[in-house]
Amino acid sequence: MTADRPFFITTPIYYVNDLPHLGHAYTTVACDVLARFMRLDGRRVRFLTGTDEHGQKVEQSARAAGISPQELTDRNSAGFREMTRLLDISNDDFIRTTEPRHARAVQAIWQELERRGEIYLGPFAGWYSVRDEAFYDESELVEGKAPTGAEVEWLEEENYFFRLSAWQDRLLAYYDANPDAIAPRSRRNEVISFVRSGLRDLSISRTSFSWGIPVPGNPRHVIYVWLDALTNYITAVGYPDIQNNDFSSLWPTVLHVVGKDILRFHTVYWPAFLMAAGLEPPRRVFAHGWWTVEGQKMSKSLGNFIPPKQLVDTYGLDPVRYFLLRELPFGSDGDFSHRAVVSRLNGDLANDFGNLAQRVLVMINRNCEACVPEPGALGAVDTALLDAARRLLDAVRAHVSEQGFHLALEAIWRVVGEANRYVDEQAPWALSRTDPARMRTVLYTLAETIRLLALLVQPFVPGAAGKLLDQLAVPEATRRFEALAGVPLVPGTRLPKPEGVFPRFVEEPAG
Ligand code: MSP
C-alpha cells in the first residue's frame, strides 16, 4: 500500500579531518535501520551517506600532516567507506564533496542564488571558528570562545553574503505549515525561537584559503563549506538537472538525520538556501542526541573516541546496532558504558530472545525429527500469542516512522517476553511424554512466533535475524514485511541444525 511512496534518507556527510568513531557509527546505523525497514516494508529507498571534504580545517590538517588536502581526503574518506562495510550499512550511494558531480551542483546552486539576487559582495568582519566551520556573533561568545568551546579567530575579508535576513518570515511560515519538519519537538521549538530572534545575512565565501569549490566568475573566493556540504543532498539526486526522474521523485521527500550540534545548519540555512534557489525545503530533519563514553564527553579534539572497529570486535555487530538504538530514546543524550552494553547484550539478546529461539529450535530438532511440527487445533493461548506477534507490524511501523527506535524495540521485546512466558506455562518438554500432539501444537506456535519476530528485527540486527530465518528455512523471497500476514511456516519443512544467534558476553578474567 505504501510501495508508491519513495523514501530518501541521508546521514550527515562526515568531516575527513578525523577518523570514524562511535558518534558517526550511531547516526549511520540509525539511518541504516530506517532504510532497511522501509525496503522491507515495500518502499523504494535511496540511502545516502558520504564525506565532507573541503574547508579550512581540512586544509590545516593536511598541512600539519605534511600531505596535500587531496591525499588527506582520499585516505580518510576511505576510512568512512570502510565503516559502512564494517557496520553492514546498506547505503545506495556514497558521496564525496570533491567529486565533479558535486562541484557542478554547488556552482549551479550558487549561480541560481546569484541570478535571483540572493547574493551580494560586501565587507565581512567577525568571529570564525575553524573547528566548527561556523561564524559567531560577538554576543554568542563565552569567555572569548565559541559556545561549543572551540577557538575563534577574528576575520576581516571581502565576502559574498547570502540574504538570510530576508528569509525570516518565510522560514517561520515553513515551520508553521510543516509541524513535523523538525523533530524532536523540543528541537523544533529551539529553532523557531532562534529564527524569531532575528537573522543576519550569512557570509558564504572565503578568500583566506583555497581548499574548496571556487565561486563561479570569481575564483579568488571559495564557497563556504556549509553551503558546499549541504548541497550534497541534492547533488546525489541529480541537481541541477531537476527534470530527471530521481530529483522529481525523491526531492523533497527526504529525511535528514543529524546530530543536535548541526541542527541549525539543516533547519535554518539549508531550507533558506533551497527556497531562495526556488527549490522545496526538506520534508523532515531529525536531530539525535550525543553519547558520552563512560561518563566523559567524547570529542574528536580530546581523542577519547571509540573507533567502530573496536565496538564490533568487542561485542559483535548485531549487539552494537541493537544497543545503540535500544538504549536511548532517539533524540536524547546518553552514556555509552561497557556495563550498559553487556547488560543489554546478555539480558535482552542472549537471555530473552536468544534463549527463546535456541530452546524452541533444539526441542523441535530433538522431538520433531528436525521438521516444522504439524499443529493440532490452536487454543486461545496459542492464538493470543500469534496475534500479538502479528499485530506488531502496525505498532512498530508507527514508531519507526517517527524515529522512535527504542519504542519499536520495546514493543517487539514485549512479545518476546510473552513468548517466554508461554514456553514456561506450556512446558513443551514435559508434554513430549504426556501429550506429544499438544507438544507439536505448542512448538509450532512458538516457531511461527519466532518467524514473525525474526522478520521484524531484520532492520536492527540483520545478521542474527537472517540466521534465525535460515534456521526456520524461510526462503529469501518471503522475508519482506508482507510475509508477516502471508503463509505461515509449512509443517513438515526440514530445518537445519540449530545454532545460537545471540551468544552471551563473557568477561575476560582480570589480569
Ligand atoms: N561535516 C559536518 C556535517 C555536514 S552535513 C551536510 C559534520 N561532520 S562530523 O563528522 O563532525 O559529524 C557528523 C555527525 O556525527 C554529526 O551528526 C554529529 O552529531 C555526530 N556525532 C559526533 N560526535 C557524536 C557523539 N559523541 N554522539 C553522537 N553523535 C555525535 O558535522
Side-chain angles (χ1 to χ4, degrees), residues 66-141:
I67 53 178
S68 69
Q70 190 63 55
E71 233 177 307
L72 180 96
T73 57
D74 286 348
R75 191 186 295 171
N76 288 358
S77 177
F80 282 95
R81 209 183 275 263
E82 181 54 33
M83 175 179 82
T84 64
R85 278 190 286 268
L86 187 76
L87 300 174
D88 200 5
I89 302 302
S90 63
N91 56 303
D92 305 292
D93 193 355
F94 186 102
I95 192 165
R96 300 184 55 185
T97 55
T98 48
E99 290 173 64
R101 61 170 170 163
H102 182 64
R104 177 170 166 257
V106 172
Q107 292 191 323
I109 197 171
W110 179 283
Q111 281 167 324
E112 189 58 25
L113 292 171
E114 204 164 37
R115 196 177 69 77
R116 291 168 176 257
E118 300 286 348
I119 290 178
Y120 63 92
L121 195 60
F124 176 83
W127 297 102
Y128 191 74
S129 155
V130 177
R131 195 181 90 190
D132 300 346
E133 297 283 15
F135 298 95
Y136 291 106
D137 270 355
E138 181 82 41
S139 62
E140 288 179 286
L141 300 189

Side-chain angles (χ1 to χ4, degrees), residues 12-15 21 24 52 226 259 261 288 290-291 298 300:
I13 49 172
Y14 302 113
Y15 284 132
H21 61 59
H24 308 120
D52 185 355
W226 272 100
D261 53 317
H288 66 66
W290 270 49
W291 290 95
M298 187 178 69
K300 293 183 191 174

